[in-house]
Amino acid sequence: QVQVVESGGGLVQAGGSLRLSCTVSGLTFRLYSMGWFRQAPGNEREGVSYIDVIGSSTKYSDSVKGRFTISRDNAKNTLYLQMNNLKPEDAAMYYCAAAFSGGDWSRPGSYKYWGQGTQVSVLS
């Protein structure tokens, strides 16, 4: 049984930083590309970032490019998202997406497994 567990969310002032983590069990983590998504109330789930199996290729949405950094530690089966210079519009539930199956990295349907999410709130 695959389990995807996010952590690291919280409340932060605008301009602050948070580091999200995602631990995956039940699949061979190092074989799969991964992604981070977010969803604010009333909005669709949107792709934030993507990383390939060894971390050599990363992608970001235009809204977070230059502020967020995705990384992974295959020895620890863990995915990270370092978020700097947070803005109020970054507030959302953040989801870890496991096992990219191909196609558009920013489309939720391109991933097989999901966590329950971790909430990020940003005070202006």
Side-chain angles (χ1 to χ4, degrees), residues 54-97:
I54 60 171
S56 62
S57 175
T58 57
K59 301 181 188 295
Y60 299 92
S61 66
D62 288 343
S63 61
V64 307
K65 201 171 295 182
R67 300 186 297 120
F68 290 12
T69 303
I70 191 171
S71 62
R72 65 190 296 162
D73 186 336
N74 286 344
K76 296 181 178 180
N77 288 2
T78 302
L79 177 73
Y80 303 100
L81 185 68
Q82 178 67 44
M83 306 186 296
N84 296 330
N85 190 21
L86 282 159
K87 303 176 180 181
E89 53 263 40
D90 293 318
M93 186 71 80
Y94 282 71
Y95 296 92
C96 176

Tab-separated table of all heavy atoms in Angstrom, residues 54-97:
chain	number	residue	atom	x	y	z
A	54	ILE	N	16.182	11.650	-10.671
A	54	ILE	CA	17.457	11.908	-10.003
A	54	ILE	C	17.653	13.378	-9.676
A	54	ILE	O	18.705	13.768	-9.177
A	54	ILE	CB	18.648	11.406	-10.847
A	54	ILE	CG1	18.676	12.111	-12.213
A	54	ILE	CG2	18.617	9.903	-10.993
A	54	ILE	CD1	19.939	11.838	-13.012
A	55	GLY	N	16.658	14.182	-9.944
A	55	GLY	CA	16.751	15.607	-9.628
A	55	GLY	C	17.483	16.427	-10.655
A	55	GLY	O	17.819	17.582	-10.386
A	56	SER	N	17.725	15.869	-11.824
A	56	SER	CA	18.466	16.608	-12.849
A	56	SER	C	17.583	17.544	-13.655
A	56	SER	O	18.081	18.462	-14.318
A	56	SER	CB	19.164	15.636	-13.800
A	56	SER	OG	18.199	14.832	-14.474
A	57	SER	N	16.291	17.320	-13.608
A	57	SER	CA	15.353	18.186	-14.332
A	57	SER	C	14.258	18.629	-13.383
A	57	SER	O	13.624	17.802	-12.723
A	57	SER	CB	14.733	17.431	-15.516
A	57	SER	OG	13.745	18.206	-16.142
A	58	THR	N	14.055	19.930	-13.307
A	58	THR	CA	13.004	20.488	-12.466
A	58	THR	C	12.183	21.486	-13.275
A	58	THR	O	12.688	22.093	-14.235
A	58	THR	CB	13.577	21.195	-11.225
A	58	THR	OG1	14.483	22.225	-11.642
A	58	THR	CG2	14.312	20.214	-10.321
A	59	LYS	N	10.943	21.636	-12.880
A	59	LYS	CA	10.055	22.585	-13.536
A	59	LYS	C	9.250	23.333	-12.470
A	59	LYS	O	8.984	22.779	-11.397
A	59	LYS	CB	9.104	21.866	-14.498
A	59	LYS	CG	9.821	21.082	-15.590
A	59	LYS	CD	8.843	20.415	-16.513
A	59	LYS	CE	9.542	19.467	-17.481
A	59	LYS	NZ	10.434	20.201	-18.405
A	60	TYR	N	8.872	24.560	-12.797
A	60	TYR	CA	8.121	25.394	-11.864
A	60	TYR	C	7.036	26.164	-12.597
A	60	TYR	O	7.189	26.533	-13.766
A	60	TYR	CB	9.052	26.399	-11.178
A	60	TYR	CG	10.159	25.770	-10.373
A	60	TYR	CD1	11.405	25.520	-10.929
A	60	TYR	CD2	9.954	25.412	-9.047
A	60	TYR	CE1	12.417	24.926	-10.202
A	60	TYR	CE2	10.966	24.816	-8.296
A	60	TYR	CZ	12.187	24.576	-8.883
A	60	TYR	OH	13.183	23.985	-8.148
A	61	SER	N	5.963	26.433	-11.877
A	61	SER	CA	4.964	27.336	-12.433
A	61	SER	C	5.546	28.749	-12.445
A	61	SER	O	6.443	29.072	-11.658
A	61	SER	CB	3.691	27.292	-11.597
A	61	SER	OG	3.924	27.805	-10.297
A	62	ASP	N	5.038	29.569	-13.328
A	62	ASP	CA	5.555	30.934	-13.429
A	62	ASP	C	5.374	31.701	-12.127
A	62	ASP	O	6.191	32.560	-11.786
A	62	ASP	CB	4.846	31.677	-14.560
A	62	ASP	CG	5.279	31.194	-15.932
A	62	ASP	OD1	6.344	30.536	-16.029
A	62	ASP	OD2	4.553	31.453	-16.898
A	63	SER	N	4.336	31.394	-11.388
A	63	SER	CA	4.031	32.144	-10.171
A	63	SER	C	5.022	31.892	-9.041
A	63	SER	O	5.108	32.706	-8.111
A	63	SER	CB	2.611	31.828	-9.703
A	63	SER	OG	2.478	30.448	-9.417
A	64	VAL	N	5.768	30.796	-9.095
A	64	VAL	CA	6.705	30.480	-8.004
A	64	VAL	C	8.156	30.447	-8.457
A	64	VAL	O	9.062	30.321	-7.627
A	64	VAL	CB	6.356	29.149	-7.324
A	64	VAL	CG1	4.897	29.115	-6.887
A	64	VAL	CG2	6.684	27.955	-8.211
A	65	LYS	N	8.376	30.560	-9.753
A	65	LYS	CA	9.738	30.473	-10.294
A	65	LYS	C	10.631	31.529	-9.649
A	65	LYS	O	10.257	32.690	-9.532
A	65	LYS	CB	9.687	30.653	-11.805
A	65	LYS	CG	10.883	30.113	-12.557
A	65	LYS	CD	10.617	30.156	-14.063
A	65	LYS	CE	9.500	29.232	-14.467
A	65	LYS	NZ	9.269	29.219	-15.929
A	66	GLY	N	11.806	31.093	-9.196
A	66	GLY	CA	12.741	32.005	-8.552
A	66	GLY	C	12.559	32.118	-7.055
A	66	GLY	O	13.420	32.672	-6.364
A	67	ARG	N	11.457	31.616	-6.528
A	67	ARG	CA	11.193	31.674	-5.076
A	67	ARG	C	11.143	30.292	-4.448
A	67	ARG	O	11.496	30.128	-3.282
A	67	ARG	CB	9.869	32.392	-4.816
A	67	ARG	CG	9.823	33.828	-5.327
A	67	ARG	CD	8.545	34.537	-4.904
A	67	ARG	NE	7.343	33.925	-5.451
A	67	ARG	CZ	6.354	33.416	-4.730
A	67	ARG	NH1	6.419	33.448	-3.403
A	67	ARG	NH2	5.294	32.893	-5.322
A	68	PHE	N	10.668	29.305	-5.182
A	68	PHE	CA	10.536	27.939	-4.676
A	68	PHE	C	11.612	27.049	-5.291
A	68	PHE	O	11.982	27.238	-6.455
A	68	PHE	CB	9.174	27.359	-5.024
A	68	PHE	CG	8.001	27.964	-4.294
A	68	PHE	CD1	8.119	29.120	-3.556
A	68	PHE	CD2	6.752	27.351	-4.363
A	68	PHE	CE1	7.037	29.673	-2.892
A	68	PHE	CE2	5.654	27.876	-3.707
A	68	PHE	CZ	5.792	29.045	-2.974
A	69	THR	N	12.050	26.061	-4.512
A	69	THR	CA	13.021	25.081	-4.999
A	69	THR	C	12.576	23.686	-4.608
A	69	THR	O	12.357	23.420	-3.421
A	69	THR	CB	14.416	25.350	-4.425
A	69	THR	OG1	14.835	26.678	-4.762
A	69	THR	CG2	15.425	24.347	-4.993
A	70	ILE	N	12.462	22.815	-5.596
A	70	ILE	CA	12.103	21.423	-5.345
A	70	ILE	C	13.377	20.594	-5.298
A	70	ILE	O	14.337	20.857	-6.041
A	70	ILE	CB	11.135	20.900	-6.433
A	70	ILE	CG1	10.540	19.553	-6.046
A	70	ILE	CG2	11.801	20.852	-7.797
A	70	ILE	CD1	9.406	19.097	-6.979
A	71	SER	N	13.388	19.593	-4.425
A	71	SER	CA	14.534	18.696	-4.340
A	71	SER	C	14.055	17.356	-3.797
A	71	SER	O	12.909	17.235	-3.342
A	71	SER	CB	15.635	19.272	-3.447
A	71	SER	OG	15.170	19.448	-2.119
A	72	ARG	N	14.933	16.374	-3.848
A	72	ARG	CA	14.573	15.052	-3.343
A	72	ARG	C	15.796	14.362	-2.770
A	72	ARG	O	16.926	14.622	-3.189
A	72	ARG	CB	13.952	14.212	-4.461
A	72	ARG	CG	14.886	13.887	-5.608
A	72	ARG	CD	14.114	13.256	-6.779
A	72	ARG	NE	13.541	11.973	-6.415
A	72	ARG	CZ	12.552	11.397	-7.104
A	72	ARG	NH1	12.028	11.996	-8.170
A	72	ARG	NH2	12.085	10.214	-6.716
A	73	ASP	N	15.533	13.460	-1.828
A	73	ASP	CA	16.568	12.613	-1.247
A	73	ASP	C	16.101	11.180	-1.432
A	73	ASP	O	15.251	10.685	-0.664
A	73	ASP	CB	16.780	12.941	0.230
A	73	ASP	CG	17.940	12.188	0.845
A	73	ASP	OD1	18.297	11.108	0.320
A	73	ASP	OD2	18.475	12.655	1.858
A	74	ASN	N	16.623	10.511	-2.440
A	74	ASN	CA	16.160	9.156	-2.743
A	74	ASN	C	16.527	8.155	-1.652
A	74	ASN	O	15.854	7.141	-1.487
A	74	ASN	CB	16.701	8.710	-4.088
A	74	ASN	CG	15.993	9.388	-5.257
A	74	ASN	OD1	14.919	9.973	-5.094
A	74	ASN	ND2	16.606	9.335	-6.432
A	75	ALA	N	17.577	8.425	-0.916
A	75	ALA	CA	17.965	7.537	0.183
A	75	ALA	C	16.958	7.595	1.323
A	75	ALA	O	16.828	6.643	2.095
A	75	ALA	CB	19.351	7.894	0.686
A	76	LYS	N	16.259	8.713	1.428
A	76	LYS	CA	15.274	8.891	2.500
A	76	LYS	C	13.844	8.813	2.003
A	76	LYS	O	12.909	9.045	2.770
A	76	LYS	CB	15.500	10.244	3.192
A	76	LYS	CG	16.835	10.364	3.908
A	76	LYS	CD	16.970	11.714	4.595
A	76	LYS	CE	18.282	11.810	5.348
A	76	LYS	NZ	18.438	13.119	6.028
A	77	ASN	N	13.655	8.518	0.713
A	77	ASN	CA	12.305	8.462	0.123
A	77	ASN	C	11.522	9.746	0.398
A	77	ASN	O	10.318	9.695	0.705
A	77	ASN	CB	11.522	7.256	0.673
A	77	ASN	CG	12.024	5.936	0.130
A	77	ASN	OD1	12.982	5.900	-0.644
A	77	ASN	ND2	11.390	4.856	0.524
A	78	THR	N	12.192	10.864	0.285
A	78	THR	CA	11.584	12.132	0.667
A	78	THR	C	11.742	13.191	-0.410
A	78	THR	O	12.810	13.339	-1.012
A	78	THR	CB	12.179	12.639	1.988
A	78	THR	OG1	11.978	11.655	3.001
A	78	THR	CG2	11.521	13.932	2.432
A	79	LEU	N	10.674	13.921	-0.610
A	79	LEU	CA	10.609	15.053	-1.538
A	79	LEU	C	10.483	16.327	-0.720
A	79	LEU	O	9.835	16.326	0.328
A	79	LEU	CB	9.386	14.895	-2.448
A	79	LEU	CG	9.077	16.003	-3.443
A	79	LEU	CD1	10.083	15.960	-4.592
A	79	LEU	CD2	7.661	15.838	-3.976
A	80	TYR	N	11.105	17.402	-1.208
A	80	TYR	CA	11.073	18.675	-0.489
A	80	TYR	C	10.590	19.805	-1.405
A	80	TYR	O	10.731	19.738	-2.622
A	80	TYR	CB	12.464	19.038	0.028
A	80	TYR	CG	13.082	18.006	0.928
A	80	TYR	CD1	14.027	17.104	0.443
A	80	TYR	CD2	12.730	17.919	2.269
A	80	TYR	CE1	14.600	16.149	1.258
A	80	TYR	CE2	13.293	16.962	3.102
A	80	TYR	CZ	14.228	16.076	2.588
A	80	TYR	OH	14.794	15.133	3.403
A	81	LEU	N	10.067	20.835	-0.752
A	81	LEU	CA	9.775	22.088	-1.456
A	81	LEU	C	10.177	23.234	-0.537
A	81	LEU	O	9.527	23.473	0.481
A	81	LEU	CB	8.299	22.199	-1.829
A	81	LEU	CG	7.948	23.428	-2.685
A	81	LEU	CD1	8.567	23.297	-4.080
A	81	LEU	CD2	6.432	23.593	-2.796
A	82	GLN	N	11.270	23.897	-0.888
A	82	GLN	CA	11.709	25.075	-0.147
A	82	GLN	C	11.002	26.291	-0.722
A	82	GLN	O	11.134	26.576	-1.922
A	82	GLN	CB	13.224	25.240	-0.262
A	82	GLN	CG	13.774	26.476	0.432
A	82	GLN	CD	13.630	26.420	1.935
A	82	GLN	OE1	13.899	25.393	2.558
A	82	GLN	NE2	13.206	27.521	2.540
A	83	MET	N	10.278	26.985	0.124
A	83	MET	CA	9.487	28.126	-0.320
A	83	MET	C	10.010	29.388	0.355
A	83	MET	O	9.943	29.496	1.593
A	83	MET	CB	8.006	27.910	0.009
A	83	MET	CG	7.461	26.597	-0.525
A	83	MET	SD	5.683	26.439	-0.281
A	83	MET	CE	5.595	26.414	1.509
A	84	ASN	N	10.538	30.289	-0.426
A	84	ASN	CA	11.085	31.540	0.091
A	84	ASN	C	10.263	32.728	-0.406
A	84	ASN	O	9.538	32.628	-1.401
A	84	ASN	CB	12.536	31.712	-0.358
A	84	ASN	CG	13.452	30.649	0.192
A	84	ASN	OD1	13.223	30.110	1.279
A	84	ASN	ND2	14.504	30.333	-0.542
A	85	ASN	N	10.404	33.844	0.299
A	85	ASN	CA	9.697	35.078	-0.080
A	85	ASN	C	8.210	34.792	-0.324
A	85	ASN	O	7.647	35.169	-1.367
A	85	ASN	CB	10.333	35.694	-1.324
A	85	ASN	CG	9.804	37.081	-1.623
A	85	ASN	OD1	9.264	37.761	-0.739
A	85	ASN	ND2	9.942	37.512	-2.870
A	86	LEU	N	7.591	34.151	0.636
A	86	LEU	CA	6.188	33.773	0.482
A	86	LEU	C	5.292	34.994	0.391
A	86	LEU	O	5.522	36.014	1.063
A	86	LEU	CB	5.756	32.873	1.635
A	86	LEU	CG	6.229	31.420	1.484
A	86	LEU	CD1	6.242	30.715	2.828
A	86	LEU	CD2	5.349	30.690	0.492
A	87	LYS	N	4.269	34.861	-0.425
A	87	LYS	CA	3.306	35.923	-0.653
A	87	LYS	C	1.916	35.453	-0.212
A	87	LYS	O	1.656	34.247	-0.168
A	87	LYS	CB	3.265	36.286	-2.141
A	87	LYS	CG	4.608	36.696	-2.719
A	87	LYS	CD	4.502	36.945	-4.206
A	87	LYS	CE	5.854	37.363	-4.785
A	87	LYS	NZ	5.767	37.632	-6.243
A	88	PRO	N	1.024	36.372	0.102
A	88	PRO	CA	-0.330	35.960	0.507
A	88	PRO	C	-1.003	35.052	-0.526
A	88	PRO	O	-1.753	34.144	-0.144
A	88	PRO	CB	-1.066	37.291	0.655
A	88	PRO	CG	0.009	38.262	1.039
A	88	PRO	CD	1.214	37.824	0.263
A	89	GLU	N	-0.711	35.266	-1.789
A	89	GLU	CA	-1.326	34.437	-2.834
A	89	GLU	C	-0.767	33.016	-2.890
A	89	GLU	O	-1.281	32.175	-3.630
A	89	GLU	CB	-1.197	35.106	-4.206
A	89	GLU	CG	0.208	35.504	-4.591
A	89	GLU	CD	0.502	36.975	-4.287
A	89	GLU	OE1	0.062	37.468	-3.215
A	89	GLU	OE2	1.180	37.620	-5.110
A	90	ASP	N	0.286	32.740	-2.115
A	90	ASP	CA	0.806	31.372	-2.025
A	90	ASP	C	0.021	30.530	-1.018
A	90	ASP	O	0.211	29.312	-0.947
A	90	ASP	CB	2.277	31.385	-1.588
A	90	ASP	CG	3.189	31.997	-2.627
A	90	ASP	OD1	3.009	31.712	-3.822
A	90	ASP	OD2	4.100	32.754	-2.224
A	91	ALA	N	-0.854	31.147	-0.249
A	91	ALA	CA	-1.623	30.418	0.754
A	91	ALA	C	-2.531	29.396	0.082
A	91	ALA	O	-3.286	29.724	-0.839
A	91	ALA	CB	-2.448	31.388	1.580
A	92	ALA	N	-2.435	28.155	0.530
A	92	ALA	CA	-3.197	27.062	-0.079
A	92	ALA	C	-2.901	25.777	0.679
A	92	ALA	O	-2.002	25.736	1.525
A	92	ALA	CB	-2.808	26.885	-1.548
A	93	MET	N	-3.641	24.738	0.335
A	93	MET	CA	-3.264	23.393	0.759
A	93	MET	C	-2.275	22.888	-0.283
A	93	MET	O	-2.548	22.949	-1.492
A	93	MET	CB	-4.495	22.497	0.798
A	93	MET	CG	-4.226	21.113	1.353
A	93	MET	SD	-3.912	21.149	3.123
A	93	MET	CE	-5.601	21.255	3.749
A	94	TYR	N	-1.142	22.405	0.196
A	94	TYR	CA	-0.108	21.889	-0.691
A	94	TYR	C	-0.108	20.364	-0.672
A	94	TYR	O	-0.106	19.751	0.408
A	94	TYR	CB	1.258	22.425	-0.286
A	94	TYR	CG	1.476	23.852	-0.750
A	94	TYR	CD1	0.781	24.904	-0.168
A	94	TYR	CD2	2.346	24.144	-1.797
A	94	TYR	CE1	0.954	26.207	-0.615
A	94	TYR	CE2	2.535	25.440	-2.242
A	94	TYR	CZ	1.832	26.469	-1.648
A	94	TYR	OH	2.006	27.762	-2.097
A	95	TYR	N	-0.071	19.790	-1.861
A	95	TYR	CA	-0.142	18.344	-2.015
A	95	TYR	C	1.102	17.797	-2.705
A	95	TYR	O	1.588	18.385	-3.692
A	95	TYR	CB	-1.352	17.956	-2.854
A	95	TYR	CG	-2.677	18.305	-2.245
A	95	TYR	CD1	-3.292	19.512	-2.528
A	95	TYR	CD2	-3.320	17.413	-1.373
A	95	TYR	CE1	-4.514	19.839	-1.971
A	95	TYR	CE2	-4.550	17.738	-0.808
A	95	TYR	CZ	-5.136	18.946	-1.113
A	95	TYR	OH	-6.353	19.268	-0.560
A	96	CYS	N	1.544	16.660	-2.223
A	96	CYS	CA	2.619	15.920	-2.863
A	96	CYS	C	1.998	14.922	-3.826
A	96	CYS	O	1.045	14.208	-3.462
A	96	CYS	CB	3.424	15.192	-1.784
A	96	CYS	SG	4.737	14.139	-2.398
A	97	ALA	N	2.515	14.887	-5.032
A	97	ALA	CA	2.009	13.992	-6.063
A	97	ALA	C	3.105	12.995	-6.430
A	97	ALA	O	4.208	13.405	-6.821
A	97	ALA	CB	1.593	14.787	-7.290
